């Protein structure tokens, strides 16, 4: 009797390739910083050339202050206490309004996503109010609140509330139901499901809404300061326009842009720290 021997060919497993590096994990090298600085320098140089030569095409650069005039106006304002008072007042308003919007938006977004009855009760009201620009609420804020300060914080909070609410609601609804079902079958309570599944799972989506909400909040707080404020970057920028101090107007605009960028960057950095558990390619850019 002949034994039939079978040869088993054992192949080596395919080499495991390293996962692609996410853009969010790439370090900002000195070369990239140089490129960014060069882009800013080129923009300032173009601005200088257009205003210095009084270029008039489809835009009239002969009436726009140049970077030298704006730098002089900025240096003059930095030497006064009024500039820092305006800056501090705008920051207090934006932080207060954004904090209120964050708590209300995240909390209500979770409740709306997990409660049909609450959705039926509040969703129609929220959908009617959401398209109304927050700055259109200035007359209502003047009538409702005893001080301009409270009205401006209310407008700022309203502006940031809806992006945060919508992003939170969508983040909760996008969670796989199998995670919650698995915990419930193992005897977990609703509170444990909320703390171990829902809250960690919605962090990336929530921070997307927080980032958008911060940008919208800055737009509305500056607009509200221009209309009904007596301090702040928006108020001072509008006042400079009324007295035809155009270099000071540009200083106000640049100050708003820089501070707005810093606050948005803080939100993004906090979001990245809280989502380290995510795969690198899923993190926010």
């Amino acid at each position: 009797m002949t034994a039939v021997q079978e040869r088993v060919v054992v192949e080596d497993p395919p080499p495991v390739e390293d996962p692609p590096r996410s853009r969010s994990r790439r370090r900002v090298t000195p070369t990239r910083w140089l490129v960014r600085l060069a882009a800013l320098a080129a923009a300032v140089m173009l601005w200088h050339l257009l205003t210095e030569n009084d270029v008039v095409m489809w835009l009239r650069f002969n009436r726009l202050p140049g970077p030298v005039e704006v730098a002089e106006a900025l240096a003059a304002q930095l030497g006064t206490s009024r500039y820092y008072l305006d800056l501090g007042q705008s920051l207090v308003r934006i932080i207060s309004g954004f904090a209120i919007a964050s708590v209300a938006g995240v909390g209500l977004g979770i409740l709306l996503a997990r409660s049909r009855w609450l959705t039926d009760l509040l969703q129609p009201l929220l959908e009617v109010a959401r398209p109304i620009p927050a700055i259109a609420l200035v007359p209502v804020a003047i009538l409702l609140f005893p001080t301009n300060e409270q009205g401006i914080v209310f407008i700022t909070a309203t502006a940031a509330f809806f992006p945060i609410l919508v992003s939170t609601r969508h983040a909760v609804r996008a969670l796989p139901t199998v995670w919650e079902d698995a915990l419930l079958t193992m005897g977990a309570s609703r509170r444990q499901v909320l703390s171990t599944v829902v809250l960690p799972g919605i962090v990336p989506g929530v921070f997307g809404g927080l980032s958008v909400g911060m940008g919208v909040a800055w737009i509305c707080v500056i607009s509200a300061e221009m209309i009904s404020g007596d301090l702040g970057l928006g108020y001072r920028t509008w006042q400079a326009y009324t007295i035809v101090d155009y270099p000071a107007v540009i200083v106000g605009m640049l100050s708003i842009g820089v501070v707005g960028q810093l606050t948005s960057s803080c939100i993004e950095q906090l979001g990245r720290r809280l989502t380290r558990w995510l795969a690198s390619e899923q993190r926010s850019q």
Side-chain angles (χ1 to χ4, degrees), residues 78-231:
L78 290 177
T80 64
S81 60
R82 185 182 64 182
Y83 178 82
Y84 301 100
L85 183 62
D86 289 329
L87 178 61
Q89 192 67 31
S90 292
L91 284 174
V92 168
R93 290 165 176 166
I94 199 75
I95 293 173
S96 302
F98 185 75
I100 294 171
S102 300
V103 173
V106 173
L108 190 57
I110 294 174
L111 292 175
L112 287 175
R114 297 181 62 83
S115 173
R116 291 183 179 180
W117 293 106
L118 196 61
T119 298
D120 294 336
L121 181 65
L122 296 181
Q123 190 74 15
L125 299 174
L126 293 172
E127 289 302 318
V128 170
R130 187 158 65 98
I132 301 174
I135 196 62
L137 299 176
V138 169
V140 177
I142 293 174
L143 294 175
L144 287 177
F145 296 95
T147 65
N148 287 341
E149 191 65 27
Q150 294 173 345
I152 293 174
V153 172
F154 164 74
I155 292 168
T156 306
T158 303
F161 169 74
F162 286 104
I164 298 171
L165 170 71
V166 172
S167 64
T168 302
R169 186 182 62 193
H170 288 330
V172 175
R173 290 178 176 175
L175 290 176
T177 57
V178 66
W179 296 351
E180 181 174 348
D181 294 340
L183 262 69
L184 291 176
T185 56
M186 290 188 291
S189 64
R190 292 287 181 180
R191 181 175 298 180
Q192 290 174 324
V193 170
L194 182 65
S195 61
T196 59
V197 173
V198 177
L199 292 181
I202 66 174
V203 168
V206 167
F207 271 90
L210 291 175
S211 182
V212 175
M214 176 61 78
V216 177
W218 268 109
I219 294 172
C220 288
V221 74
I222 295 301
S223 302
E225 288 177 348
M226 289 182 175
I227 295 173
S228 62
D230 52 4
L231 278 174

Side-chain angles (χ1 to χ4, degrees), residues 24-54:
S24 62
R25 302 186 71 179
R26 294 177 185 172
R27 297 182 57 186
V28 181
T29 61
T31 302
R32 295 182 65 190
W33 276 115
L34 288 175
V35 171
R36 297 178 183 186
L37 293 175
L40 289 174
V44 173
M45 181 58 66
L46 179 61
W47 175 19
H48 174 73
L49 292 174
L50 292 173
T51 54
E52 187 70 17
N53 295 291
D54 294 331

